[in-house]
Amino acid sequence: TAQSLFSELSGGDLRVPADALRDLLERVGGAAPAQLDMCLSRYAGGISRFALAAMAEDFRKCTKAIVLTAVFEVQGASIIRKFDVGEVIQVLGEPQKEPATGLERARCRAVRDGNEGWVTLRGNQGTAFFEPAPKPYWSAGGDGAVLRADREADSAAVCDVPAGGALELLEGPTAQ
């Protein structure tokens, strides 16, 4: 995960040194030194956890109604649920072409409720069902907010989130 990668590369600091990310990318291969220099020059002061997550995680927004299925193969697959237009998913693996249909499919997790399964990203005629989206965050406005242990308004306060403070959404928002 992006969090474990951040922990490994940052060594407990608040930022990943650009050199640490460069070393990782050189080991993985595929980019020329000049390309790495160009890409990492904007991160001379280090890479925040949020910036690393944006680089390492793939989020997409639904543009056309489509379903989440339990298995890769579409034929005979049970439907877990339908995605609403505008709903965000996290792609969990490399997209793959289904040989029988030519559909581009990927394993994913619905941000709204955490359901995991397979979704069609692109139809066999090129129709896109999702578009790239930023990683979802929640930002406190006004006077800030109180983060609570549970959904209930009277549950214990965990911490105060100052105005403009951002929290990473691991799931949700959900309907109450």
Side-chain angles (χ1 to χ4, degrees):
T1 66
Q3 179 59 42
S4 60
L5 181 62
F6 181 83
S7 296
E8 176 187 331
L9 295 175
S10 70
D13 289 337
L14 295 177
R15 294 185 163 295
V16 170
D19 290 342
L21 184 57
R22 182 189 182 88
D23 290 346
L24 172 71
L25 295 173
E26 285 176 342
R27 286 193 309 269
V28 172
Q35 290 173 312
L36 290 175
D37 290 341
M38 183 178 69
C39 292
L40 294 174
S41 65
R42 67 184 291 195
Y43 298 107
I47 298 136
S48 71
R49 185 170 65 86
F50 292 136
L52 186 66
M55 292 178 200
E57 296 176 327
D58 184 2
F59 287 87
R60 301 189 190 195
K61 182 171 61 171
C62 182
T63 57
K64 296 188 184 306
I66 194 80
V67 296
L68 179 69
T69 63
V71 296
F72 175 71
E73 297 80 15
V74 174
Q75 188 68 29
S78 62
I79 294 172
I80 296 172
R81 73 175 187 80
K82 181 180 173 184
F83 284 110
D84 296 328
V85 171
E87 191 169 346
V88 177
I89 64 167
Q90 179 181 12
V91 177
L92 301 175
E94 286 295 316
Q96 305 170 37
K97 284 252 185 187
E98 183 186 25
T101 62
L103 301 173
E104 182 181 291
R105 310 244 314 142
R107 182 140 180 82
C108 73
R109 178 183 64 84
V111 171
R112 183 173 78 192
D113 57 19
N115 278 322
E116 290 187 16
W118 290 86
V119 70
T120 299
L121 299 175
R122 188 172 301 279
N124 56 12
Q125 299 296 313
T127 302
F129 292 95
F130 291 87
E131 64 186 14
K135 181 177 181 69
Y137 292 95
W138 174 83
S139 178
D143 296 327
V146 176
L147 183 63
R148 301 205 172 272
D150 199 358
R151 284 195 221 195
E152 307 306 319
D154 60 351
S155 67
V158 175
C159 72
D160 290 323
V161 181
L167 297 175
E168 178 181 11
L169 285 182
L170 300 177
E171 186 176 300
T174 59
Q176 294 218 18

